[in-house]
Amino acid sequence: MPAKLEGKVATAPPRPSRVQPVAVSELASTADAHLTAPDRAHVPVGGVTLRAQHVRPGDLFAALPGARAHGADFAEQAVARGAVAVLTDEAGAAKVRDVPVLVHPNPREVLGVLAARVYGNPSTRLGLYGITGTSGKTTTCYLIESILKAAGRETGLIGTVETRIAGERLDSALTTPEAPDLHALLAVMEERGVTDVTMEVSSHALRLGRVGGVGFAVGAFTNLSQDHLDFHPDMEDYFRTKAELFDGRARVEVVCVDGEWGRRLVKPATITVSTTGDATWTASEVRVSATGEQTFTAHGPGLEIPVDLRLAGEFNVANALLAIACVHSRGVDAEAIRRGLAEVRVPGRMQRVDEGQDFTAVVDYSHKPQAVALALDAVRARSAGRIITVLGCGGDRDTAKRPLMGEEAARRSDVLIVTDDNPRTEDPAGIRAAMLRGANALAATERGDVLEIGDRGEAIRHAVSLARSGDVVVVAGKGHETGQEVAGVVHPFSDVETLASAIREAHQ
């Protein structure tokens, strides 16, 4: 069952106000699907959804097979709400009554193409930037969006933190929305004058067809490291799924080649970026201030761009280069790039919390072994004080990374406090135990002190109580999130607010 947020009710995603209905026979032809009830082939379809509770009159309801139930079990409810046709497989078709059925052996595979057709293929007219990779997707999207705004473009953003339409903020439930919601969202953006959209493209989105029927102006790759091995059988499968973004659906391909996974994606026309070697775009004269801000010079085709970046860490130099390469490929000039990067803010990504204290406090979303290592290395590079880290692991996710995260954090921290993240349906103590095994497997000389405090709020307050002048407190794993999921219920919780409150209380 999906998690419930206390006090909130899930709302239907936005849809465009103007849609030219498409005959169900045309949709059947588009999907190469068998159409039952050919005498009703001219029934017009004006919307698409795979959630019965979100059906509007005139919709095509996508009844997909699932692990626990078949979407066709909800077809009667969908028809009662006004669905005029159903897309499903053979098993689902047997459960549908009273409306034409589009029967396809893999309905999820064609759902995106059908939604694109119904909503008028909006991705073909937008400057759509799709960013994939393990880490850096969110940051790169915000960097690109900030540059585009500086260039005078009207922007949309779709990602982990939020969805924004010309400045209006919507909460994000999925990193990449389901295909019908995505195409409807893009159509809404076009209606509201958006010209350019930045979007995170997760491996789940690629594998599950959420970006089916989407055409990208630019597709970009950040990096690949261990994550989502609860969903992918191994790293090779994870990589192959990410590589689907570069199968021709993006008109321009931009790849960070600082790792072997990225180098495997390079083709003759690929635009490459690197902080360490030869590439289309490189960086030099990287300087880091005591507070983590960075300056560097970006070198590209006939260009040198001075960059002021308020984000810490070499990995954010790579993210900035990737953003520069993406927008430059679309004609954005150097001055807009410079101004946009200087102004960017990324919620929950190396986000400083300043309440006037004499130590540094940072909230970061790092929730993968490599991301934890990179974040703590970036902090260590600019601090002579102790590093005090608060870290947990999410439940119902890749279990293999838990001891690795504990190990990476313990190796780089003077004090590591292992706590709860989003335990979801798992026993929180079991998750912490896996992290502690990794941390305590290190020799005492190779790690800092390791503590266990299950209550995340108490863990953060204890970290603050330990901090002395010049130290750094890093609260990692949840970043921008404003809830903590425990036993299927999401309770309000913000690392940023909790850390700020703890600092204020400690200095009263």
Side-chain angles (χ1 to χ4, degrees):
M1 295 292 289
K4 299 176 181 178
L5 181 58
E6 293 183 332
K8 286 191 176 182
V9 177
T11 56
R15 294 206 198 175
S17 59
R18 299 181 299 276
V19 175
Q20 182 65 45
V22 180
V24 69
S25 58
E26 183 176 338
L27 295 180
S29 176
T30 299
D32 194 21
H34 170 67
L35 178 64
T36 67
D39 57 314
R40 301 169 69 181
H42 297 294
V43 169
V45 172
V48 187
T49 183
L50 48 67
R51 297 178 180 87
Q53 67 269 34
H54 292 165
V55 166
R56 298 183 186 182
D59 274 1
L60 169 71
F61 173 59
L64 308 181
R68 302 181 190 179
H70 199 294
D73 296 333
F74 305 96
E76 184 177 353
Q77 176 187 347
V79 172
R81 292 181 64 89
V84 296
V86 173
L87 168 70
T88 191
D89 58 10
E90 289 282 0
K95 302 181 180 186
V96 180
R97 302 286 185 274
D98 303 324
V99 295
V101 181
L102 286 75
V103 185
H104 191 278
N106 187 353
R108 181 177 282 280
E109 183 180 87
V110 298
L111 178 56
V113 174
L114 292 180
R117 178 65 188 87
V118 170
Y119 293 117
N121 295 295
S123 69
T124 62
R125 293 179 296 278
L126 294 166
L128 182 58
Y129 298 78
I131 315 300
T132 198
T134 303
S135 300
K137 295 188 297 296
T138 297
T139 297
T140 303
C141 280
Y142 274 85
L143 292 166
I144 292 173
E145 186 201 36
S146 186
I147 294 169
L148 292 170
K149 285 182 175 179
R153 311 286 178 87
E154 190 68 80
T155 62
L157 183 144
I158 304 170
T160 304
V161 177
E162 62 185 339
T163 293
R164 280 208 303 270
I165 307 173
E168 179 186 348
R169 185 183 189 279
L170 308 173
D171 288 332
S172 288
L174 298 171
T175 298
T176 313
E178 294 284 4
D181 301 338
L182 175 58
H183 287 283
L185 179 61
L186 293 174
V188 170
M189 289 182 174
E190 186 181 24
E191 276 190 348
R192 298 188 187 178
V194 167
T195 58
D196 296 80
V197 180
T198 56
M199 181 171 75
E200 297 179 46
V201 182
S202 65
S203 63
H204 289 68
L206 289 159
R207 175 62 56 84
L208 299 176
R210 292 178 191 160
V211 290
V214 175
F216 293 91
V218 181
F221 176 85
T222 59
N223 52 62
L224 201 76
S225 63
Q226 182 172 330
D227 198 21
H228 301 306
L229 295 189
D230 55 327
F231 182 74
H232 299 281
D234 52 39
M235 287 295 293
E236 188 64 32
D237 181 79
Y238 184 29
F239 170 73
R240 285 196 303 269
T241 303
K242 291 287 193 184
E244 291 176 16
L245 183 59
F246 306 94
D247 63 3
R249 70 184 77 196
R251 296 193 292 277
V252 174
E253 297 179 358
V254 184
V255 174
C256 179
V257 293
D258 282 343
E260 177 60 29
W261 298 110
R263 290 191 286 272
R264 288 174 57 181
L265 290 172
V266 175
K267 306 168 190 172
T270 303
I271 298 171
T272 57
V273 307
S274 177
T275 61
T276 60
D278 293 334
T280 314
W281 286 90
T282 59
S284 70
E285 302 172 304
V286 179
R287 295 185 175 89
V288 185
S289 74
T291 54
E293 288 82 2
Q294 304 184 87
T295 62
F296 65 92
T297 301
H299 303 267
L303 283 177
E304 289 189 355
I305 304 174
V307 175
D308 292 299
L309 190 65
R310 299 183 182 184
L311 304 174
E314 183 180 358
F315 55 93
N316 277 320
V317 175
N319 291 335
L321 281 176
L322 196 70
I324 292 169
C326 286
V327 297
H328 180 262
S329 76
R330 296 277 297 165
V332 177
D333 64 43
E335 177 58 20
I337 291 171
R338 186 195 64 76
R339 286 189 290 111
L341 292 178
E343 297 166 359
V344 73
R345 298 286 188 280
V346 186
R349 271 65 177 178
M350 301 300 283
Q351 180 176 348
R352 294 192 64 188
V353 176
D354 190 352
E355 296 291 331
Q357 74 276 10
D358 58 358
F359 60 90
T360 301
V362 176
V363 169
D364 192 62
Y365 189 54
S366 46
H367 58 284
K368 295 155 284 237
Q370 185 183 50
V372 170
L374 290 171
L376 295 180
D377 284 346
V379 168
R380 177 69 70 187
R382 69 176 195 266
S383 175
R386 298 178 304 156
I387 308 299
I388 303 167
T389 305
V390 178
L391 180 68
C393 284
D396 300 337
R397 299 294 187 269
D398 182 2
T399 59
K401 70 180 182 181
R402 295 170 185 173
L404 299 176
M405 287 177 63
E407 176 186 346
E408 297 289 7
R411 191 189 306 276
R412 291 165 171 80
S413 304
D414 296 282
V415 180
L416 168 62
I417 303 175
V418 174
T419 189
D420 293 342
D421 189 290
N422 292 308
R424 298 185 176 89
T425 64
E426 285 194 62
D427 174 18
I431 299 172
R432 297 195 303 271
M435 295 183 66
L436 289 166
R437 280 196 299 274
N440 291 322
L442 293 170
T445 55
E446 297 179 10
R447 60 171 170 81
D449 296 333
V450 179
L451 310 177
E452 179 183 9
I453 301 176
D455 183 284
R456 192 172 182 89
E458 182 56 35
I460 292 171
R461 288 187 286 273
H462 187 67
V464 169
S465 75
L466 296 176
R468 302 192 294 260
S469 179
D471 288 349
V472 183
V473 172
V474 180
V475 180
K478 289 175 60 61
H480 64 279
E481 294 178 0
T482 56
Q484 184 179 34
E485 185 178 342
V486 182
V489 177
V490 179
H491 304 272
F493 190 94
S494 163
D495 279 355
V496 173
E497 293 178 4
T498 303
L499 180 55
S501 176
I503 294 170
R504 290 194 298 269
E505 291 173 5
H507 289 77
Q508 285 180 347

